[in-house]
Amino acid sequence: MELDVELIGLVPVKRKVEEIGSLLLVDRARQRFGLSASRPNLHMCFTGAPGTGKTTVALMMADLLYRLGYLEKGHLVHAMRDDLVAEYIGQTAPKTKQVLERAMGGVLFIDEAYTLYRAEDSKDYGQECIDILMQVMENQRDKLVVILAGYRDRMDRFFDSNPGMSSRVAHHLDFADYDVDELLSIGQLMLDRTSYYLSDEAEATLRDYLSTRMTQPRFANARSVRNELENARLRHAFRLAADPERQWTKDDLMRLEPSDVLP
């Protein structure tokens, strides 16, 4: 399965996606025999910290639903609060409807969806956006799949404040933080795609760095690994360019050393 090739870890998420895919596949087979198969509710909530694969899985889900014939286009529209909610009266509805129109036939992925609702601000127009979303999720669910994403505790509070929205979301997928071995595997996958590799010493250095970084604020799982490897590529290039007289071998151009991982 594509998920196993593209994503490290996330076993419960992969299982849930497989279950959804199996249901849709069987429903299609039932329809060919004239058996009733009403369209299932496919709206979802993805919870987890940044960099745990939520957007990647949403893209794969859009493609899966398109290939199985449940979506007309299978594209993904990524939106956040500022794309949907306006600051002045009368502007939120057209703004929200414009995004929904772009997403029709595909998946609308709303990141940090809990920010749509601000109970402490009586002049906030987020509730207007939520009301429109709920109406479309109910009445046009054959044309659009909505995926709400964010931290688990904040999404729980969001649903407590908006039970109507909660009732429209059928599938909840929780994306756990990666452990250090999974982060290293993710890094190896990224390097393989760009024809780089870590020397044994560089791999040990990266492991130590990630073990420390995971305990610090603003760590973003796979996103932080990607950023560090981008920095390593910059240091690697600077190290090679500092010795322009040397004839670089193919291995020189591919191998990252400890000094590339950490200056």
Side-chain angles (χ1 to χ4, degrees):
M1 187 179 177
E2 187 182 359
L3 278 173
D4 290 322
V5 176
E6 295 291 328
L7 289 177
I8 304 296
L10 299 178
V11 174
V13 171
K14 292 175 182 176
R15 174 62 185 268
K16 185 69 173 179
V17 173
E18 287 176 355
E19 288 175 351
I20 295 170
S22 298
L23 172 65
L24 300 181
L25 202 60
V26 170
D27 278 356
R28 280 285 179 259
R30 285 171 57 88
Q31 288 173 358
R32 288 198 294 271
F33 286 95
L35 300 171
S36 63
S38 61
R39 183 185 176 96
N41 179 355
L42 295 171
H43 301 311
M44 307 175 197
C45 177
F46 289 1
T47 53
T52 48
K54 297 187 294 297
T55 305
T56 301
V57 173
L59 285 163
M60 292 179 176
M61 185 63 72
D63 180 62
L64 173 66
L65 296 176
Y66 169 70
R67 286 189 281 115
L68 289 175
Y70 280 83
L71 288 176
E72 184 181 338
K73 299 177 183 177
H75 64 300
L76 183 139
V77 172
H78 184 284
M80 299 186 73
R81 176 189 164 87
D82 288 349
D83 301 307
L84 298 161
V85 182
E87 295 182 26
Y88 302 103
I89 191 167
Q91 294 182 346
T92 291
K95 199 171 188 180
T96 299
K97 289 174 182 177
Q98 187 177 40
V99 173
L100 285 165
E101 190 174 323
R102 281 197 293 122
M104 281 298 163
V107 169
L108 174 59
F109 182 82
I110 305 177
D111 205 0
E112 298 181 8
Y114 51 83
T115 61
L116 294 178
Y117 183 73
R118 293 179 175 173
E120 71 283 355
D121 188 352
S122 60
K123 295 182 179 180
D124 184 67
Y125 301 108
Q127 188 61 53
E128 183 180 0
C129 168
I130 292 169
D131 292 342
I132 294 169
L133 284 172
M134 287 196 296
Q135 185 179 17
V136 171
M137 288 167 72
E138 184 67 28
N139 298 336
Q140 301 192 55
R141 62 182 190 174
D142 58 330
K143 299 177 182 176
L144 175 73
V145 170
V146 175
I147 299 178
L148 307 174
Y151 289 103
R152 184 171 184 174
D153 57 341
R154 299 177 197 179
M155 288 306 299
D156 285 344
R157 289 197 294 272
F158 172 76
F159 287 129
D160 287 342
S161 303
N162 296 274
M165 180 65 84
S166 178
S167 66
R168 284 165 173 75
V169 175
H171 306 285
H172 292 258
L173 284 72
D174 191 47
F175 291 67
D177 288 337
Y178 294 107
D179 62 32
V180 69
D181 288 327
E182 290 171 335
L183 290 170
L184 278 173
S185 296
I186 289 168
Q188 296 286 4
L189 203 59
M190 293 174 177
L191 291 172
D192 289 344
R193 290 170 180 160
T194 53
S195 299
Y196 283 88
Y197 76 94
L198 296 162
S199 69
D200 291 343
E201 296 82 1
E203 183 176 339
T205 301
L206 181 60
R207 174 183 288 275
D208 291 342
Y209 169 79
L210 290 174
S211 297
T212 301
R213 186 71 184 85
M214 288 167 65
T215 65
Q216 297 173 340
R218 295 185 295 280
F219 181 70
N221 289 279
R223 206 172 297 161
S224 291
V225 174
R226 183 185 64 208
N227 290 341
E228 179 50 39
L229 291 178
E230 286 295 323
N231 288 330
R233 289 178 58 193
L234 287 171
R235 298 183 193 113
H236 167 262
F238 187 75
R239 174 169 60 83
L240 294 188
D243 187 9
E245 303 302 321
R246 177 177 171 179
Q247 292 296 311
W248 300 325
T249 66
K250 182 179 180 181
D251 190 62
D252 289 331
L253 297 169
M254 297 173 63
R255 187 182 68 256
L256 299 176
E257 294 291 0
S259 61
D260 303 325
V261 176
L262 287 178

